[in-house]
Amino acid sequence: MNVHVPKKQLADSLGHVERIIPSKSSNPGLSLLRVGLTESALILSGSNMEIDIEARVLADVTGEGNFALPAHMFSQIVRSLPGETVSLAFGGSEVDISSDSYDTRLRLEDVASVPAVTFPDSYHGEIEAEKLVRGLSSVRYAAAVAEYQAIFRGVKLELNDSRIRAVSTDGFRLAYYHLDESSGLDGEVVAPAKSVDELVRLLVEDPVRLELVEGQLSLQSGPYRTNVRLMEGTFPDYERVIPGTFPLSVTVNAGVLSEAVSRVALVSDKAANNRVDLFIKGGLLQITAEGGYGRSQEALEVSQEGTDPEIALAYNAKYLVDALAPVAGNLRISFSGATTPSVMADLGDPSYFAMVVPLRTG
Amino acid sequence: MNVHVPKKQLADSLGHVERIIPSKSSNPGLSLLRVGLTESALILSGSNMEIDIEARVLADVTGEGNFALPAHMFSQIVRSLPGETVSLAFGGSEVDISSDSYDTRLRLEDVASVPAVTFPDSYHGEIEAEKLVRGLSSVRYAAAVAEYQAIFRGVKLELNDSRIRAVSTDGFRLAYYHLDESSGLDGEVVAPAKSVDELVRLLVEDPVRLELVEGQLSLQSGPYRTNVRLMEGTFPDYERVIPGTFPLSVTVNAGVLSEAVSRVALVSDKAANNRVDLFIKGGLLQITAEGGYGRSQEALEVSQEGTDPEIALAYNAKYLVDALAPVAGNLRISFSGATTPSVMADLGDPSYFAMVVPLRTG
């Protein structure tokens, strides 16, 4: 069983699969890569039990079979090969990997010890890769990090006949990305944010095909297939807490505001939630912070609207900066009050929506 | 006391001084930056007790004085400033830092708590910056890492009326960089390798001026001055162990050999010293390695010379790769025997010399 394959393609695909494969595990089979030989392709797959990934690499293949290799060692070797083409010769207990003057023989592992990874036979949903990547990437920051926060550590996908929406919240901030279109699927599921981080790297080609089966979201894009194990639990009814009236709003460039907030917040104490204070009046947005080292301030001219002449409130600077990051140009921040959530709209992309709860002060 | 200074120059100079200032220390004064105002310059200085650094930044200065600031906070603020010019106004207990619309006031610390840093009044030695940087950078890898290895953790400088030589050794390998010229100084000193790493970043301008005083090597290059605390102890008489006869030698491109050795060594066991075996015969250099995952080999054509027709020996792959790194083109490896040191010469730069002791095998 012989394979000839371009080094670059093999290394790139391996890189995507290898990323999720644990280098150490109490189950040694989890650190293995499964290599399948089929007519004209190598099928590489691996899993960390949370996410399965399969990559198909076009290759010149003689013979068929399934093999198991130590994922990270194989990947390191392939990346370092001297030539542009790799030859693999699978024997009984070894695979011979050669390229130019270099040659290595790696011991094959028991393919039965690699977790079985199966993908759907068909996919009933479809979405543009760029939209899905932007949606998931734009909201992922708002997911919680701490283990005890359970379902808040996921990204919710709402799919129905008129909606594709990705949502994250950790209780202090919320972000969603909303498309008025249908993927062809119907369901509400929550995927672990960490799996979403891997997933977006694999959405390289249109269309992305989707399938929802018991406890699992499956996607296929070009040469990559992936299964994401879904989270169990009830996602909060977040729409209920989004305010409806905003007595004051400002329009400002997101990058300019983000840099000013970051700069001013440098002196604020981490232990005091990185507090920055905002005071808006007469078209001027004043940002101030103070801490053990001293105090800082910066003023930005903004376009101000609304019935209230001024507002003073405080945020965790990191939450504000995170919410601004997905916005490339101007954004509108609408204030519902000093202690109630502020919401942000990307004026260049109406799909993005963010909400940040101000810090309780005084 | 007011200062106007270009942000880029201030940030660059601060970056060099800040690098060595501890962010936490049992002596809080060590985490401070000393800022001196003199006519037309800001003088920034700091120390970690092993190395002192001073940077002079041309500035528009009104007044004189010395101040102490939290080094990392000040540096972070300067890097993030919005404008191209920074204004500093030193008051009684605060410094006001402003740039465009941004303004911060940092609390000044007690300048008496910053360790006093003094530099020589005159320098009696001189050397070209590029030569000193190349010399120190070429040998530094051979210094030992482990705490208990004492003097082996340093880089020795041998200075006399016909020699400038930098030497490092950890007992298993040795590197020196030799110039047949005089710096104007006379002495043999050992500087901690970690201080050498900082030092080379500061040798930005010709000439580098040097001075040796009690327990300290002082250098000045352009706007930077530095003192390096020297190590105490006896450096080994390394010339005694350099072999004199070489029954076999090969000439090969350093980069090609380094890549091949790294690639083959991937399968070797870390616990077995990353062993790679070399076998040279008939103008062919064969590299092999084996470990728990399998075995690898690669053969390179080399130009072979000497009275012996062949040699077989083993090295720690990392030691071999480290010794090749300073060589840009071809190198000659001369073998004194299978268990005695091999020496390497850079055919493009006769100043560089390296020696590696083979692994004991069998």
Side-chain angles (χ1 to χ4, degrees), chain A residues 43-347:
Chain A
I43 312 292
L44 312 171
S45 61
S47 175
N48 63 14
M49 304 311 275
E50 289 287 307
I51 184 168
D52 312 324
I53 296 181
E54 180 197 86
R56 170 178 291 259
V57 189
L58 290 182
D60 175 5
V61 179
T62 318
E64 282 197 350
N66 284 294
F67 305 94
L69 281 170
H72 299 289
M73 175 57 63
F74 182 52
S75 188
Q76 274 188 302
I77 288 173
V78 169
R79 278 199 302 273
S80 78
L81 291 177
E84 290 185 4
T85 305
V86 186
S87 298
L88 306 171
F90 290 88
S93 63
E94 287 184 332
V95 55
D96 186 290
I97 307 164
S98 60
S99 178
D100 279 0
S101 53
Y102 173 86
D103 183 85
T104 195
R105 282 164 189 272
L106 284 190
R107 212 177 64 229
L108 291 169
E109 305 289 337
D110 179 12
V111 74
S113 63
V114 189
V117 171
T118 55
F119 294 91
D121 294 324
S122 58
Y123 294 82
H124 292 91
E126 205 172 286
I127 182 172
E128 262 180 58
E130 195 187 330
K131 285 182 181 172
L132 186 54
V133 169
R134 173 142 169 84
L136 295 171
S137 308
S138 297
V139 307
R140 186 261 178 265
Y141 72 84
V145 173
E147 194 78 43
Y148 71 89
Q149 288 177 290
I151 198 79
F152 286 99
R153 302 172 76 219
V155 177
K156 187 188 186 200
L157 269 181
E158 301 175 4
L159 306 169
N160 64 36
D161 57 10
S162 66
R163 167 186 286 199
I164 298 171
R165 184 187 277 191
V167 195
S168 290
T169 180
D170 65 2
F172 302 102
R173 64 253 187 87
L174 163 81
Y176 69 68
Y177 196 88
H178 179 99
L179 298 168
D180 280 323
E181 54 188 83
S182 171
S183 63
L185 292 182
D186 206 329
E188 301 203 341
V189 298
V190 183
K194 280 198 165 182
S195 299
V196 167
D197 292 340
E198 297 303 328
L199 180 58
V200 293
R201 299 172 197 271
L202 304 170
L203 306 179
V204 295
E205 227 174 82
D206 276 327
V208 177
R209 295 195 179 87
L210 300 98
E211 183 67 3
L212 277 173
V213 290
E214 193 61 45
Q216 182 170 298
L217 172 67
S218 297
L219 302 96
Q220 181 259 320
S221 170
Y224 296 108
R225 294 201 288 182
T226 173
N227 300 317
V228 175
R229 234 68 71 209
L230 297 169
M231 299 174 80
E232 289 179 11
T234 308
F235 204 81
D237 178 11
Y238 62 90
E239 290 192 278
R240 200 174 46 82
V241 298
I242 299 174
T245 52
F246 304 97
L248 199 157
S249 67
V250 298
T251 300
V252 59
N253 180 276
V256 169
L257 178 58
S258 174
E259 283 185 20
V261 168
S262 302
R263 205 152 41 218
V264 171
L266 284 173
V267 298
S268 78
D269 291 328
K270 305 270 174 301
N273 292 312
N274 276 305
R275 172 175 169 172
V276 284
D277 283 81
L278 268 59
F279 178 63
I280 298 153
K281 187 180 180 179
L284 208 65
L285 165 59
Q286 278 193 286
I287 312 161
T288 53
E290 64 179 300
Y293 288 111
R295 55 194 189 285
S296 295
Q297 62 181 59
E298 185 156 356
L300 300 177
E301 288 183 13
V302 297
S303 160
Q304 181 179 337
E305 287 172 277
T307 51
D308 278 8
E310 63 177 65
I311 191 167
L313 71 181
Y315 296 104
N316 180 324
K318 181 178 170 354
Y319 288 4
L320 203 50
V321 168
D322 283 348
L324 302 176
V327 182
N330 283 339
L331 112 153
R332 185 174 55 243
I333 313 183
S334 302
F335 303 91
S336 68
T339 56
T340 52
S342 312
V343 309
M344 289 147 204
D346 181 343
L347 297 184

Side-chain angles (χ1 to χ4, degrees), chain B residues 164-243:
Chain B
I164 298 171
R165 185 187 275 190
V167 196
S168 289
T169 180
D170 64 2
F172 302 102
R173 64 247 185 95
L174 164 80
Y176 70 67
Y177 195 87
H178 179 99
L179 298 169
D180 280 324
E181 56 188 82
S182 171
S183 64
L185 292 182
D186 207 329
E188 300 202 341
V189 298
V190 183
K194 279 197 164 181
S195 299
V196 167
D197 293 340
E198 297 304 328
L199 180 58
V200 293
R201 300 171 197 272
L202 304 170
L203 306 179
V204 295
E205 227 174 82
D206 278 325
V208 178
R209 295 194 179 86
L210 299 99
E211 184 67 3
L212 276 174
V213 290
E214 193 61 46
Q216 185 170 296
L217 171 67
S218 296
L219 301 97
Q220 181 259 320
S221 170
Y224 296 108
R225 293 202 290 182
T226 171
N227 300 318
V228 176
R229 236 65 72 209
L230 297 170
M231 300 176 80
E232 290 179 10
T234 308
F235 204 80
D237 178 10
Y238 62 90
E239 291 192 278
R240 199 174 48 80
V241 298
I242 300 175

Side-chain angles (χ1 to χ4, degrees), chain B residues 81 99 101-102 104 117 124 136 138 145 147 172-173 189 212 215 234 238 255 295 323 348 351-352 362:
Chain B
L81 291 176
S99 179
S101 53
Y102 174 85
T104 195
V117 170
H124 294 90
L136 295 172
S138 296
V145 174
E147 195 77 43
F172 302 102
R173 64 247 185 95
V189 298
L212 276 174
T234 308
Y238 62 90
R295 56 194 190 284
S351 298
Y352 177 67

